[in-house]
C-alpha cells in the first residue's frame, strides 16, 4: 500500500494544550506509522460544484510542550484524495459544525474514510442519544417545559440539569428540592421554555469520579479514566479541576459497553467516549472525545496506536 494520507479538521493547533490533547496523540501515532498528515480548520473547507476541497497544510508533529508542530504552506486538495479524515473540531455543535459534516460527507461518498462518520456526528447528540439506551441510564427527562422540570425535581429530590449543546462541564447545575434558585435555573436552561434541556436523577457516586470509557472500533479500552471532582464542585471534568485516575472496568461498565458499542460501530463511529457515573451511562461523546493522553500516562495503554491499527484494517478492507 502506498503512503497513507491523513487529514485532520480541528481547532487551531497552536491553541491546544499538547500534554493533554487527544488529537495530537492521534497525529503522533499516525506520524509514527509514516503517514502523511494534512491540517485543516473549518475555514479551510469548501464545496466547489459539489466536490469537497480543502486548503490543507502538511503538518509535522512532536511530543514537545514548547514546540509541537510545524506547518508547510497551504495547498488546495480534493478531500477525497485523502485516505482518512479525522473530524476533531470541538463543540459547540452549531450550524457551522453541521455544514462541515456536509462537506466531509461528500468526501466520504468519493472514497475517504471519515472518522467519525458525518451522519453519525449529526445524529448522535452526546446527551440526547442516551435515550436509545434507557436500560443503562438514570431516570432522564428531556423537555422544554419548566413545569415538567419542577415535577421531575419533586419526584427525585435531587437532580442534575444541563443544556443539550454544552461541553466541558459548562452550565451544569445540581438542584435540590426546596432550592429557591430552581425556577431561575430551569428558566435559564430552557430559555423560558423555548429550548430543550436535560434533567437526570442525581447520582451520588459522582464523588468517586465521572468515568470516561474510550471505545475504539467497537472495543472498549481496558481501563476507564475516572475524573474526580474537587471538594467544592460536582463536575467531573478535567478542565474544571477534576483529578484523573485510571481504573479497571467493572462488570457493569463492561455491560454498558456491550450494550452501546456495537450500535456505535454500526453507525460508523470508530472513536467514542462513554461517560459513566457509578453504574449509569450519562453521556455518549462522538464529536471529539478526550482522555487518550491521561490513559497513556496513568494506565500505560496507547489508544492512539489502537486507533491507527483500526484505521489501517478499515482501509485494507476497502481495497
Amino acid at each position: 500500500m502506498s503512503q497513507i494520507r491523513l487529514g485532520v479538521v480541528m481547532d487551531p493547533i497552536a491553541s491546544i494544550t499538547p500534554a493533554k490533547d487527544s488529537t495530537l496523540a492521534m497525529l503522533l501515532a499516525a506520524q509514527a506509522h509514516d503517514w502523511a498528515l494534512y491540517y485543516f480548520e473549518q475555514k479551510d473547507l469548501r464545496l466547489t460544484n459539489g466536490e469537497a476541497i480543502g486548503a490543507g497544510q502538511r503538518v509535522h508533529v512532536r511530543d514537545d510542550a514548547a514546540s509541537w508542530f510545524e506547518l508547510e504552506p497551504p495547498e488546495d486538495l480534493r478531500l477525497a484524495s485523502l485516505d482518512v479524515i479525522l473530524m476533531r473540531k470541538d463543540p459547540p455543535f452549531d450550524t457551522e459544525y453541521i455544514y462541515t459534516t456536509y462537506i466531509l460527507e461528500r468526501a466520504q461518498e468519493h472514497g475517504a474514510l471519515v472518522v467519525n462518520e458525518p451522519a453519525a456526528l449529526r445524529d448522535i447528540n452526546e446527551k440526547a442519544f442516551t435515550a436509545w439506551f434507557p436500560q443503562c441510564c438514570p431516570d432522564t427527562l428531556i423537555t422544554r417545559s419548566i413545569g415538567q422540570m419542577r415535577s421531575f425535581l419533586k419526584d427525585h429530590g435531587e437532580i442534575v440539569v444541563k443544556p443539550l449543546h454544552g461541553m466541558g462541564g459548562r452550565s451544569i447545575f445540581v438542584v435540590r428540592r426546596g432550592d429557591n434558585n430552581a425556577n431561575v435555573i430551569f428558566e435559564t436552561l430552557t430559555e423560558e421554555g423555548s429550548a430543550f434541556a436535560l434533567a437526570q436523577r442525581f447520582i451520588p457516586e459522582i464523588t468517586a469520579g465521572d468515568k470516561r470509557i474510550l471505545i475504539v472500533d467497537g472495543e472498549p479500552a481496558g481501563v476507564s479514566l475516572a475524573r474526580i471532582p474537587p471538594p467544592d464542585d460536582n463536575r467531573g471534568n478535567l478542565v474544571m479541576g477534576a483529578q484523573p485516575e485510571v481504573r479497571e472496568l467493572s462488570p457493569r461498565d463492561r455491560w454498558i459497553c456491550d450494550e452501546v458499542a456495537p450500535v456505535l460501530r454500526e453507525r460508523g463511529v470508530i472513536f467514542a467516549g462513554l461517560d459513566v457515573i457509578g453504574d449509569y451511562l450519562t453521556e455518549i461523546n462522538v464529536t471529539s472525545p478526550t482522555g487518550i493522553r491521561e490513559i497513556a500516562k496513568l494506565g500505560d495503554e496507547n489508544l492512539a496506536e489502537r486507533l491507527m491499527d483500526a484505521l489501517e484494517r478499515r482501509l485494507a478492507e476497502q481495497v
Side-chain angles (χ1 to χ4, degrees):
M1 180 184 290
S2 59
Q3 185 181 38
I4 293 174
R5 289 154 52 93
L6 178 144
V8 61
V9 181
M10 60 184 291
D11 290 300
I13 194 169
S15 69
I16 68 173
T17 303
K20 296 179 177 292
D21 196 84
S22 292
T23 304
L24 178 61
M26 294 176 184
L27 294 177
L28 288 165
Q31 185 171 268
H33 281 230
D34 195 33
W35 295 8
L37 310 181
Y38 295 86
Y39 164 80
F40 305 87
E41 297 175 27
Q42 282 178 299
K43 63 182 177 61
D44 300 320
L45 307 181
R46 68 182 189 271
L47 286 173
T48 300
N49 297 325
E51 184 170 31
I53 307 291
Q57 294 176 266
R58 278 294 302 267
V59 60
H60 308 273
V61 290
R62 293 183 293 271
D63 197 4
D64 182 340
S67 176
W68 57 91
F69 71 98
E70 290 180 4
L71 293 173
E72 296 184 13
E75 57 178 308
D76 267 1
L77 297 169
R78 295 174 53 253
L79 296 187
S81 72
L82 300 170
D83 299 289
V84 179
I85 303 172
L86 300 177
M87 176 49 167
R88 292 289 301 174
K89 172 70 179 69
D90 283 340
F93 187 87
D94 53 16
T95 53
E96 291 303 307
Y97 195 106
I98 292 172
Y99 298 151
T100 302
T101 67
Y102 294 149
I103 297 173
L104 295 178
E105 189 157 0
R106 290 297 292 162
Q108 174 186 263
E109 290 173 350
H110 287 84
L113 174 61
V114 180
V115 182
N116 288 310
E117 187 168 309
L121 293 174
R122 293 194 295 271
D123 290 347
I124 300 178
N125 175 274
E126 62 187 29
K127 299 173 180 66
F129 197 66
T130 58
W132 273 249
F133 307 96
Q135 71 276 20
C136 302
C137 301
D139 288 350
T140 302
L141 171 70
I142 296 175
T143 184
R144 291 164 56 150
S145 168
I146 296 168
Q148 290 167 9
M149 287 270 190
R150 290 195 196 105
S151 295
F152 192 79
L153 174 60
K154 180 181 178 182
D155 291 343
H156 292 283
E158 189 170 14
I159 64 175
V160 174
V161 292
K162 48 191 171 183
L164 292 180
H165 60 273
M167 65 165 288
R170 298 186 184 96
S171 301
I172 295 177
F173 297 89
V174 176
V175 186
R176 297 173 179 85
R177 188 186 295 127
D179 188 338
N180 288 339
N181 290 311
N183 285 333
V184 72
I185 291 171
F186 300 155
E187 291 163 6
T188 300
L189 288 179
T190 65
E191 298 178 20
E192 301 288 347
S194 66
F196 284 102
L198 177 143
Q200 284 179 330
R201 178 178 62 80
F202 178 74
I203 306 168
E205 289 84 358
I206 184 60
T207 57
D210 184 347
K211 295 176 286 187
R212 165 63 55 84
I213 305 173
L214 293 176
I215 307 287
V216 179
D217 206 16
E219 294 295 327
V223 296
S224 67
L225 178 67
R227 298 156 297 175
I228 303 168
D232 61 349
D233 206 321
N234 289 302
R235 295 172 295 180
N237 301 87
L238 298 180
V239 295
M240 296 298 177
Q243 293 301 306
E245 178 182 300
V246 166
R247 295 183 187 155
E248 295 295 322
L249 299 187
S250 70
R252 173 74 177 190
D253 293 337
R254 293 188 181 279
W255 176 78
I256 290 172
C257 292
D258 288 343
E259 294 289 300
V260 179
V263 177
L264 296 180
R265 190 177 191 277
E266 183 179 320
R267 286 174 171 254
V269 175
I270 300 177
F271 187 70
L274 309 186
D275 288 351
V276 176
I277 301 174
D279 288 335
Y280 298 98
L281 175 71
T282 59
E283 294 188 7
I284 300 171
N285 296 272
V286 303
T287 48
S288 58
T290 61
I292 286 179
R293 300 286 265 179
E294 290 83 1
I295 288 175
K297 180 180 179 181
L298 301 174
D300 198 28
E301 186 170 358
N302 191 333
L303 294 172
E305 180 68 22
R306 270 185 56 184
L307 177 61
M308 296 310 123
D309 289 342
L311 297 180
E312 285 186 337
R313 289 194 301 270
R314 290 278 189 127
L315 292 173
E317 292 168 1
Q318 291 180 355
V319 174

